[in-house]
Amino acid sequence: MSHLKNDTFLRALLRQPTEYTPVWLMRQAGRYLPEYCETRRRAGNFLNLCKSPAMACEVTLQPLARYDLDAAILFSDILTVPDAMGLGLYFAEGEGPRFERPLKDEWEIRNLTAPDPHAELQYVMDAVSEIRRALDGSVPLIGFSGSPWTLACYMVEGGSSDDYRKVKSMAYSRPDLMHHILEVTAQAVVKYLNAQIEAGAQAVMVFDSWGGVLSEAAYKEFSLRYLEQVVSGLIRERDGQRVPSIVFTKGGGLWLESIAAIGSDAVGLDWTMDIGRARRMVGDKVALQGNLDPNVLFAPADAVAAETRRILDAYGNHPGHVFNLGHGISQYTPPESVSVLVDTVHAYSRELRARG
Ligand code: CP3
């Protein structure tokens, strides 16, 4: 991986020794940064920002200019895939994502097809290539997608939901239709991630943000099974380099051992489980990514540093840890807290390695 100036993140995902623990943050490019808000204003709205490769590239690089982060993540959204399937994504001001045409009728569901990533989603591939050029080998670029289950939640609910009533009703009353949506969506996700890898993504992450709302049995049937299908379909190597994958089920701590068994290189953890306990459960079968509660960043600097050290201590001096938050960074986060976090991860993990 000598083409990268800093490949610490990729080595940690492959559970190889690193001089320090690499760190990046979910939603690291976003509204807590005034420069992001400025670019979004210029774009007019969030979707225009995603659909302009030049502006998506610009905001991807913003957090890297401020902080010593070990990876960049493509600026986009998980809902680009159902948008490309024809559901009509829009963002109502202050209300989060919505679809003009959520999935309701059997007829619509039977007509669903996996989009060609080089047609409706070419703007994402163009952003990936442009970001890779701009990064110029400084740090690796992460590509991403939503999980089939999480995408299906938005496609059936028509937007965010408190109770997942529509999608769960479908899962329990018409499992055949639910599985059809998940099957087509899993094919779409595989094509989409592989196209990102071909365009230059050096690692990929699958966000299963709503897997944790399911029962264990339903999780295995409607989410994990399709996560496994996605991971099995991914390109493993590109230009002679391994392309590691990360699977993140928010609320999936109880099912960690099953998640660690589907073949991904790494598992993302939310903040609820102690990462030391997680590591004892999975050993060195997978790398772990996480898991600071994003709300810690609202505390004073010494508390941010102390909670960060607590997680590094809990994981211990083993390879295979990528530091991250347990979920996306809040838009209200003071940007200074992120400097404290990133600098503490680097300094304290070097200290732990020196102690042996
Ligand atoms: O991590 C990064 O910096 C890359 C960019 C990224 C965004 N969304 C940008 C974004 C990534 C990886 C996502 C993933 C995503 N999108 C998920 C999975 C991760 C998670 O948080 O669980 C989900 C569920 C979505 C769907 C989505 N997009 C929601 C629910 C919302 C509205 C909520 C909110 O935070 O406003 C979005 C909008 C969105 N996606 C924003 C950003 C920066 C905010 C939009 C804005 O600028 O107004």
Side-chain angles (χ1 to χ4, degrees), residues 24-31 36 40 46 49 73-79 91 96-97 144 150 154 160 207 209-210 248 250 327-328 331:
W24 70 279
L25 307 180
M26 290 188 264
R27 294 274 180 103
Q28 63 190 19
R31 287 166 294 182
Y36 169 85
R40 195 184 67 167
F46 171 69
L49 189 50
I73 180 161
L74 161 69
F75 188 84
S76 191
D77 198 81
I78 62 167
L79 302 177
F91 283 80
F144 71 90
T150 292
Y154 286 100
S160 302
F207 287 90
S209 306
W210 310 128
F248 171 57
K250 182 166 177 282
H327 199 204
Q331 65 180 115

Side-chain angles (χ1 to χ4, degrees), residues 125-148:
M125 308 312 143
D126 291 342
V128 170
S129 333
E130 190 157 339
I131 297 163
R132 265 300 294 276
R133 267 197 305 278
L135 285 171
D136 193 28
S138 51
V139 291
L141 175 62
I142 308 166
F144 71 90
S145 171
S147 72

